[in-house]
Amino acid sequence: SEMCIRDRINIDTVRDWKNKIINQLSGGIAQMAKARKVDTIEGVATFISDKEIQVQSKSGKEKITFDHCIIAAGSSSSIIPGIPSDNKNILTSKTALDLEKIPRNLLIIGGGYIGLEMGTVFNALGASVSIAEFLPNLLPGADPDLVKPLSRKLKKHFDEIHLSTKIVDVKPSKPSGLIVTMEKEGETTKKK
């Protein structure tokens, strides 16, 4: 039988390449800061007042005063209430990029730009991808005229796109995988 693309891709090489790019970008930012004589401190910051923060780093606590502060803390993945976070088959946008193998099928909860990026990547790697978005459109908040051509393209590549759909429940399925209960217009369906 013919091998699918998913079986021909070396996911370890892809993951190593991704980690190399992240390290280069992080190192590049550090070098730019150093070249511009910007001091950096890595740690957990807490606002003490509107002009002062305290940073807990490996070397201890340090107070820093400022006139203006820009908060650029990055992002963190949201966990949807009622969905177990301790199941190896439930991934976040970060853990999905550390996978050791490409899944046969993948349901992505959220049709925003991160969900669609993940879906596009995993579809290109050979996974069957479905999207479930709570709101009635993909890329909520974006200009609908710009979203239409993207939606047409994604409908050709993704297995299913569920809009106005709420994820009600996610439970483990034997021997592996998950059963997802979705609700749309008052009707519930289960997908494995």
Side-chain angles (χ1 to χ4, degrees), residues 10-133:
N10 184 330
I11 194 68
D12 295 332
T13 303
V14 172
R15 192 177 53 251
D16 291 347
W17 173 77
K18 181 261 307 180
N19 290 336
K20 180 181 171 190
I21 297 298
I22 289 172
N23 290 335
Q24 285 174 343
L25 289 172
S26 299
I29 291 169
Q31 290 299 324
M32 283 179 9
K34 187 176 180 181
R36 288 162 178 78
K37 298 180 181 167
V38 174
D39 295 327
T40 60
I41 302 168
E42 189 173 331
V44 177
T46 307
F47 280 91
I48 298 170
S49 71
D50 61 349
K51 298 287 180 191
E52 190 174 37
I53 61 171
Q54 180 173 283
V55 179
Q56 176 70 52
S57 65
K58 291 177 184 173
S59 58
K61 290 183 181 178
E62 184 175 348
K63 285 186 182 178
I64 300 168
T65 58
F66 54 85
D67 291 326
H68 304 283
C69 179
I70 298 171
I71 302 171
S75 66
S76 60
S77 300
S78 300
I79 301 297
I80 297 170
I83 295 180
S85 59
D86 58 350
N87 186 301
K88 67 180 176 65
N89 292 322
I90 297 175
L91 309 169
T92 66
S93 57
K94 289 188 170 130
T95 59
L97 295 175
D98 289 326
L99 277 180
E100 294 178 7
K101 65 178 186 173
I102 301 163
R104 288 190 185 282
N105 53 56
L106 188 64
L107 171 67
I108 296 178
I109 302 172
Y113 70 92
I114 293 174
L116 296 182
E117 280 179 345
M118 290 290 152
T120 303
V121 167
F122 279 101
N123 176 257
L125 293 172
S128 297
V129 175
S130 295
I131 299 279
E133 168 57 48

